Amino acid sequence: EMYHERQHIVLRRDAFVIRMTDLRSSKRVLYMDESYVHHHYNRHEDSRPVSKAKHKGKRFCFIGAILSADPTAANPNDPHSQAQWMPELFDYFVGGKRKGTKEVTDYHAMFDHEYFVQWVEKAIAALAARNIAGAIIVMDNAKYHKKLPDSVPHSSWKKAALQEACRAHSIQCNATDTKDMLWARLEPVRQAAEPIIVTMFKEAGHEVLFLPPHYSNLQPIELVWAAGKQTIGMQYTESTKFANVEARLKAAFSNMQHATVAGCIRKTDSFLDRLYQVIKDQDEADDDIVHGSHESDSSSDEDEDF
């Protein structure tokens, strides 16, 4: 079901959908994401919700990736060519309260850019070890995914630094220009700058695609997380220790089956196909409207001439 969205989100959605539709028939896709599971995560259908107090405290934050099937494989039944969980890219750590601060409620706040760069290095190595070239890397828009190099101009810089940046980028400026005037000239430079991890993947021969905002249903690993967390949650009892959750977390994802991953990817591919058709139909409808308008204008001109 489609609904009215802001134009900039629609443009990002359409660009992602069109690019993915174009590439997935010839390239493998690595979908990566982060999530967490709380000590008291409970998925018993017949149980009451865990009290609010038990949602405070420790949790395991984790990161991982899945890989789509090889669309060019001569033998689709070859396990190496099938959609799969990438166990070497699964990592987790204890999250919760940061020392000396209030409790962190968004698990994304438990990750940072330095940690993520190290994970990207592992991902690049994992793809190389599997002899996978030219992969598509899909991820969300978390701030640490999109950090720019420190050399990229920033609005917080002092005026002298902005003047120097203008000169470095061959942008004309005057000594009398205000800081706001300088930043107006430099802001396009920042907007065009490439995130650090995008450059890392590009130099290794891969392409990063960022999900459009509000379209997590284009991210199949979200479904993989849900399947793993359900396995963990169904084992919860009032006597569950935090160490039990850790053991169940490791087991749930180390036993993730190819068929489960393939099913998750099929579901999001189906949604991608429907979105692509909506975009295509809308574009054709818009084109017809413009064409009809031109014909009407031409007819009016002819009537006036007559």
Side-chain angles (χ1 to χ4, degrees), residues 91-120:
D91 189 30
Y92 69 91
F93 56 85
V94 177
K97 290 185 177 179
R98 280 182 171 172
K99 189 175 181 180
T101 67
K102 294 181 179 180
E103 183 178 359
V104 176
T105 55
D106 181 2
Y107 68 91
H108 279 113
M110 301 306 300
F111 295 88
D112 60 32
H113 179 70
E114 183 179 356
Y115 173 89
F116 188 56
V117 164
Q118 294 174 357
W119 186 90
V120 168

mmCIF file of all heavy atoms in Angstrom, residues 91-120:
data_model
loop_
_atom_site.group_PDB
_atom_site.id
_atom_site.type_symbol
_atom_site.label_atom_id
_atom_site.label_comp_id
_atom_site.label_asym_id
_atom_site.label_seq_id
_atom_site.Cartn_x
_atom_site.Cartn_y
_atom_site.Cartn_z
ATOM 1 N N ASP A 91 29.160 -10.595 15.020
ATOM 2 C CA ASP A 91 29.875 -10.166 16.216
ATOM 3 C C ASP A 91 28.854 -9.592 17.193
ATOM 4 O O ASP A 91 27.817 -9.066 16.782
ATOM 5 C CB ASP A 91 30.922 -9.102 15.864
ATOM 6 C CG ASP A 91 31.842 -8.790 17.038
ATOM 7 O OD1 ASP A 91 32.076 -9.690 17.870
ATOM 8 O OD2 ASP A 91 32.327 -7.643 17.118
ATOM 9 N N TYR A 92 29.146 -9.699 18.470
ATOM 10 C CA TYR A 92 28.228 -9.167 19.483
ATOM 11 C C TYR A 92 29.021 -8.672 20.682
ATOM 12 O O TYR A 92 30.183 -9.050 20.889
ATOM 13 C CB TYR A 92 27.211 -10.236 19.907
ATOM 14 C CG TYR A 92 27.806 -11.383 20.686
ATOM 15 C CD1 TYR A 92 27.864 -11.348 22.083
ATOM 16 C CD2 TYR A 92 28.314 -12.514 20.042
ATOM 17 C CE1 TYR A 92 28.415 -12.402 22.802
ATOM 18 C CE2 TYR A 92 28.858 -13.560 20.751
ATOM 19 C CZ TYR A 92 28.909 -13.507 22.133
ATOM 20 O OH TYR A 92 29.462 -14.551 22.850
ATOM 21 N N PHE A 93 28.399 -7.830 21.461
ATOM 22 C CA PHE A 93 29.005 -7.339 22.690
ATOM 23 C C PHE A 93 27.891 -6.923 23.643
ATOM 24 O O PHE A 93 26.732 -6.768 23.247
ATOM 25 C CB PHE A 93 29.966 -6.168 22.423
ATOM 26 C CG PHE A 93 29.336 -5.006 21.705
ATOM 27 C CD1 PHE A 93 28.647 -4.014 22.389
ATOM 28 C CD2 PHE A 93 29.416 -4.901 20.312
ATOM 29 C CE1 PHE A 93 28.061 -2.944 21.728
ATOM 30 C CE2 PHE A 93 28.830 -3.843 19.638
ATOM 31 C CZ PHE A 93 28.155 -2.858 20.350
ATOM 32 N N VAL A 94 28.240 -6.744 24.893
ATOM 33 C CA VAL A 94 27.258 -6.364 25.909
ATOM 34 C C VAL A 94 26.992 -4.874 25.795
ATOM 35 O O VAL A 94 27.909 -4.053 25.789
ATOM 36 C CB VAL A 94 27.753 -6.710 27.325
ATOM 37 C CG1 VAL A 94 26.744 -6.223 28.373
ATOM 38 C CG2 VAL A 94 27.975 -8.202 27.451
ATOM 39 N N GLY A 95 25.730 -4.505 25.681
ATOM 40 C CA GLY A 95 25.335 -3.108 25.655
ATOM 41 C C GLY A 95 24.435 -2.801 26.836
ATOM 42 O O GLY A 95 24.149 -3.659 27.661
ATOM 43 N N GLY A 96 23.982 -1.590 26.900
ATOM 44 C CA GLY A 96 23.105 -1.181 28.003
ATOM 45 C C GLY A 96 23.448 0.222 28.426
ATOM 46 O O GLY A 96 23.385 1.149 27.643
ATOM 47 N N LYS A 97 23.861 0.375 29.672
ATOM 48 C CA LYS A 97 24.206 1.706 30.165
ATOM 49 C C LYS A 97 25.652 2.041 29.841
ATOM 50 O O LYS A 97 26.549 1.215 29.985
ATOM 51 C CB LYS A 97 24.006 1.780 31.677
ATOM 52 C CG LYS A 97 22.552 1.738 32.124
ATOM 53 C CD LYS A 97 22.445 1.936 33.619
ATOM 54 C CE LYS A 97 20.992 1.981 34.067
ATOM 55 N NZ LYS A 97 20.882 2.161 35.533
ATOM 56 N N ARG A 98 25.859 3.248 29.408
ATOM 57 C CA ARG A 98 27.218 3.751 29.258
ATOM 58 C C ARG A 98 27.651 4.343 30.589
ATOM 59 O O ARG A 98 26.883 5.055 31.246
ATOM 60 C CB ARG A 98 27.286 4.816 28.162
ATOM 61 C CG ARG A 98 27.321 4.233 26.765
ATOM 62 C CD ARG A 98 27.444 5.329 25.728
ATOM 63 N NE ARG A 98 27.692 4.788 24.414
ATOM 64 C CZ ARG A 98 27.692 5.509 23.307
ATOM 65 N NH1 ARG A 98 27.456 6.804 23.373
ATOM 66 N NH2 ARG A 98 27.925 4.961 22.145
ATOM 67 N N LYS A 99 28.872 4.067 30.960
ATOM 68 C CA LYS A 99 29.360 4.513 32.254
ATOM 69 C C LYS A 99 29.236 6.027 32.403
ATOM 70 O O LYS A 99 29.681 6.796 31.565
ATOM 71 C CB LYS A 99 30.822 4.098 32.418
ATOM 72 C CG LYS A 99 31.366 4.325 33.821
ATOM 73 C CD LYS A 99 32.785 3.777 33.952
ATOM 74 C CE LYS A 99 33.323 3.982 35.352
ATOM 75 N NZ LYS A 99 34.702 3.467 35.498
ATOM 76 N N GLY A 100 28.609 6.460 33.513
ATOM 77 C CA GLY A 100 28.478 7.877 33.813
ATOM 78 C C GLY A 100 27.385 8.577 33.031
ATOM 79 O O GLY A 100 27.302 9.798 33.053
ATOM 80 N N THR A 101 26.538 7.813 32.299
ATOM 81 C CA THR A 101 25.472 8.429 31.517
ATOM 82 C C THR A 101 24.154 7.749 31.829
ATOM 83 O O THR A 101 24.107 6.719 32.503
ATOM 84 C CB THR A 101 25.741 8.319 30.007
ATOM 85 O OG1 THR A 101 25.659 6.936 29.626
ATOM 86 C CG2 THR A 101 27.105 8.866 29.650
ATOM 87 N N LYS A 102 23.080 8.335 31.330
ATOM 88 C CA LYS A 102 21.783 7.693 31.431
ATOM 89 C C LYS A 102 21.748 6.496 30.482
ATOM 90 O O LYS A 102 22.553 6.374 29.583
ATOM 91 C CB LYS A 102 20.674 8.678 31.062
ATOM 92 C CG LYS A 102 20.536 9.843 32.035
ATOM 93 C CD LYS A 102 19.395 10.761 31.609
ATOM 94 C CE LYS A 102 19.238 11.910 32.591
ATOM 95 N NZ LYS A 102 18.126 12.823 32.200
ATOM 96 N N GLU A 103 20.790 5.637 30.690
ATOM 97 C CA GLU A 103 20.698 4.437 29.869
ATOM 98 C C GLU A 103 20.503 4.799 28.398
ATOM 99 O O GLU A 103 19.738 5.691 28.059
ATOM 100 C CB GLU A 103 19.526 3.571 30.335
ATOM 101 C CG GLU A 103 19.429 2.266 29.565
ATOM 102 C CD GLU A 103 18.304 1.385 30.070
ATOM 103 O OE1 GLU A 103 17.617 1.793 31.025
ATOM 104 O OE2 GLU A 103 18.127 0.291 29.511
ATOM 105 N N VAL A 104 21.218 4.096 27.535
ATOM 106 C CA VAL A 104 21.093 4.288 26.101
ATOM 107 C C VAL A 104 19.892 3.484 25.613
ATOM 108 O O VAL A 104 19.811 2.280 25.820
ATOM 109 C CB VAL A 104 22.375 3.824 25.377
ATOM 110 C CG1 VAL A 104 22.197 3.929 23.868
ATOM 111 C CG2 VAL A 104 23.562 4.655 25.821
ATOM 112 N N THR A 105 18.931 4.130 24.984
ATOM 113 C CA THR A 105 17.729 3.434 24.548
ATOM 114 C C THR A 105 17.815 2.973 23.097
ATOM 115 O O THR A 105 17.179 2.005 22.717
ATOM 116 C CB THR A 105 16.492 4.336 24.708
ATOM 117 O OG1 THR A 105 16.716 5.561 24.006
ATOM 118 C CG2 THR A 105 16.250 4.653 26.175
ATOM 119 N N ASP A 106 18.583 3.645 22.261
ATOM 120 C CA ASP A 106 18.737 3.263 20.863
ATOM 121 C C ASP A 106 20.000 2.420 20.732
ATOM 122 O O ASP A 106 21.107 2.891 20.987
ATOM 123 C CB ASP A 106 18.838 4.514 19.981
ATOM 124 C CG ASP A 106 18.978 4.168 18.508
ATOM 125 O OD1 ASP A 106 18.962 2.971 18.175
ATOM 126 O OD2 ASP A 106 19.116 5.101 17.700
ATOM 127 N N TYR A 107 19.836 1.158 20.313
ATOM 128 C CA TYR A 107 20.995 0.269 20.229
ATOM 129 C C TYR A 107 22.038 0.788 19.259
ATOM 130 O O TYR A 107 23.235 0.483 19.394
ATOM 131 C CB TYR A 107 20.560 -1.140 19.836
ATOM 132 C CG TYR A 107 20.021 -1.270 18.436
ATOM 133 C CD1 TYR A 107 20.867 -1.581 17.377
ATOM 134 C CD2 TYR A 107 18.673 -1.082 18.158
ATOM 135 C CE1 TYR A 107 20.393 -1.695 16.092
ATOM 136 C CE2 TYR A 107 18.187 -1.194 16.872
ATOM 137 C CZ TYR A 107 19.042 -1.508 15.846
ATOM 138 O OH TYR A 107 18.562 -1.619 14.568
ATOM 139 N N HIS A 108 21.635 1.602 18.251
ATOM 140 C CA HIS A 108 22.618 2.169 17.335
ATOM 141 C C HIS A 108 23.655 2.998 18.081
ATOM 142 O O HIS A 108 24.806 3.132 17.635
ATOM 143 C CB HIS A 108 21.929 3.049 16.282
ATOM 144 C CG HIS A 108 21.329 2.260 15.158
ATOM 145 N ND1 HIS A 108 19.986 2.182 14.949
ATOM 146 C CD2 HIS A 108 21.906 1.507 14.191
ATOM 147 C CE1 HIS A 108 19.752 1.426 13.889
ATOM 148 N NE2 HIS A 108 20.895 1.005 13.409
ATOM 149 N N ALA A 109 23.265 3.570 19.228
ATOM 150 C CA ALA A 109 24.190 4.403 19.996
ATOM 151 C C ALA A 109 25.302 3.584 20.627
ATOM 152 O O ALA A 109 26.292 4.145 21.107
ATOM 153 C CB ALA A 109 23.432 5.174 21.079
ATOM 154 N N MET A 110 25.146 2.269 20.640
ATOM 155 C CA MET A 110 26.185 1.412 21.219
ATOM 156 C C MET A 110 27.295 1.110 20.211
ATOM 157 O O MET A 110 28.334 0.573 20.574
ATOM 158 C CB MET A 110 25.563 0.099 21.712
ATOM 159 C CG MET A 110 24.474 0.282 22.771
ATOM 160 S SD MET A 110 24.996 1.266 24.192
ATOM 161 C CE MET A 110 26.350 0.292 24.815
ATOM 162 N N PHE A 111 27.059 1.403 18.949
ATOM 163 C CA PHE A 111 28.076 1.199 17.911
ATOM 164 C C PHE A 111 28.730 2.547 17.597
ATOM 165 O O PHE A 111 28.160 3.597 17.873
ATOM 166 C CB PHE A 111 27.447 0.638 16.638
ATOM 167 C CG PHE A 111 26.859 -0.734 16.788
ATOM 168 C CD1 PHE A 111 25.545 -0.895 17.214
ATOM 169 C CD2 PHE A 111 27.606 -1.869 16.507
ATOM 170 C CE1 PHE A 111 24.985 -2.159 17.357
ATOM 171 C CE2 PHE A 111 27.054 -3.137 16.643
ATOM 172 C CZ PHE A 111 25.740 -3.279 17.069
ATOM 173 N N ASP A 112 29.914 2.521 17.025
ATOM 174 C CA ASP A 112 30.554 3.759 16.601
ATOM 175 C C ASP A 112 31.315 3.519 15.297
ATOM 176 O O ASP A 112 31.441 2.378 14.825
ATOM 177 C CB ASP A 112 31.471 4.337 17.678
ATOM 178 C CG ASP A 112 32.605 3.400 18.081
ATOM 179 O OD1 ASP A 112 33.091 2.624 17.224
ATOM 180 O OD2 ASP A 112 33.024 3.437 19.249
ATOM 181 N N HIS A 113 31.816 4.591 14.711
ATOM 182 C CA HIS A 113 32.444 4.494 13.400
ATOM 183 C C HIS A 113 33.720 3.650 13.428
ATOM 184 O O HIS A 113 33.960 2.852 12.509
ATOM 185 C CB HIS A 113 32.761 5.900 12.872
ATOM 186 C CG HIS A 113 33.436 5.895 11.545
ATOM 187 N ND1 HIS A 113 32.805 5.529 10.382
ATOM 188 C CD2 HIS A 113 34.717 6.193 11.194
ATOM 189 C CE1 HIS A 113 33.648 5.606 9.372
ATOM 190 N NE2 HIS A 113 34.810 6.008 9.831
ATOM 191 N N GLU A 114 34.525 3.816 14.452
ATOM 192 C CA GLU A 114 35.777 3.058 14.533
ATOM 193 C C GLU A 114 35.502 1.562 14.533
ATOM 194 O O GLU A 114 36.163 0.786 13.827
ATOM 195 C CB GLU A 114 36.547 3.461 15.801
ATOM 196 C CG GLU A 114 37.898 2.770 15.935
ATOM 197 C CD GLU A 114 38.645 3.210 17.175
ATOM 198 O OE1 GLU A 114 38.150 4.105 17.892
ATOM 199 O OE2 GLU A 114 39.737 2.666 17.430
ATOM 200 N N TYR A 115 34.526 1.150 15.330
ATOM 201 C CA TYR A 115 34.146 -0.266 15.375
ATOM 202 C C TYR A 115 33.652 -0.719 14.007
ATOM 203 O O TYR A 115 34.007 -1.809 13.526
ATOM 204 C CB TYR A 115 33.047 -0.474 16.427
ATOM 205 C CG TYR A 115 32.461 -1.869 16.458
ATOM 206 C CD1 TYR A 115 33.010 -2.868 17.258
ATOM 207 C CD2 TYR A 115 31.356 -2.191 15.671
ATOM 208 C CE1 TYR A 115 32.464 -4.143 17.282
ATOM 209 C CE2 TYR A 115 30.812 -3.458 15.676
ATOM 210 C CZ TYR A 115 31.370 -4.431 16.491
ATOM 211 O OH TYR A 115 30.839 -5.694 16.506
ATOM 212 N N PHE A 116 32.843 0.116 13.364
ATOM 213 C CA PHE A 116 32.250 -0.273 12.095
ATOM 214 C C PHE A 116 33.300 -0.383 10.991
ATOM 215 O O PHE A 116 33.214 -1.277 10.138
ATOM 216 C CB PHE A 116 31.161 0.721 11.689
ATOM 217 C CG PHE A 116 30.369 0.272 10.489
ATOM 218 C CD1 PHE A 116 29.718 -0.942 10.485
ATOM 219 C CD2 PHE A 116 30.288 1.078 9.353
ATOM 220 C CE1 PHE A 116 28.991 -1.366 9.373
ATOM 221 C CE2 PHE A 116 29.563 0.663 8.250
ATOM 222 C CZ PHE A 116 28.908 -0.556 8.263
ATOM 223 N N VAL A 117 34.290 0.488 10.984
ATOM 224 C CA VAL A 117 35.358 0.401 9.989
ATOM 225 C C VAL A 117 36.070 -0.953 10.103
ATOM 226 O O VAL A 117 36.390 -1.599 9.091
ATOM 227 C CB VAL A 117 36.364 1.562 10.167
ATOM 228 C CG1 VAL A 117 37.668 1.281 9.423
ATOM 229 C CG2 VAL A 117 35.754 2.864 9.645
ATOM 230 N N GLN A 118 36.309 -1.400 11.329
ATOM 231 C CA GLN A 118 36.939 -2.709 11.525
ATOM 232 C C GLN A 118 36.053 -3.827 10.991
ATOM 233 O O GLN A 118 36.540 -4.795 10.387
ATOM 234 C CB GLN A 118 37.244 -2.921 13.015
ATOM 235 C CG GLN A 118 38.287 -1.970 13.567
ATOM 236 C CD GLN A 118 38.457 -2.092 15.071
ATOM 237 O OE1 GLN A 118 37.762 -2.861 15.749
ATOM 238 N NE2 GLN A 118 39.387 -1.334 15.613
ATOM 239 N N TRP A 119 34.739 -3.676 11.191
ATOM 240 C CA TRP A 119 33.829 -4.693 10.667
ATOM 241 C C TRP A 119 33.842 -4.687 9.138
ATOM 242 O O TRP A 119 33.826 -5.757 8.508
ATOM 243 C CB TRP A 119 32.404 -4.433 11.181
ATOM 244 C CG TRP A 119 31.454 -5.522 10.791
ATOM 245 C CD1 TRP A 119 31.153 -6.659 11.491
ATOM 246 C CD2 TRP A 119 30.691 -5.597 9.570
ATOM 247 N NE1 TRP A 119 30.250 -7.430 10.793
ATOM 248 C CE2 TRP A 119 29.944 -6.800 9.610
ATOM 249 C CE3 TRP A 119 30.559 -4.763 8.466
ATOM 250 C CZ2 TRP A 119 29.091 -7.193 8.583
ATOM 251 C CZ3 TRP A 119 29.710 -5.153 7.435
ATOM 252 C CH2 TRP A 119 28.985 -6.353 7.501
ATOM 253 N N VAL A 120 33.871 -3.513 8.532
ATOM 254 C CA VAL A 120 33.909 -3.410 7.064
ATOM 255 C C VAL A 120 35.160 -4.091 6.514
ATOM 256 O O VAL A 120 35.110 -4.778 5.483
ATOM 257 C CB VAL A 120 33.837 -1.935 6.624
ATOM 258 C CG1 VAL A 120 34.170 -1.791 5.138
ATOM 259 C CG2 VAL A 120 32.450 -1.359 6.910
#
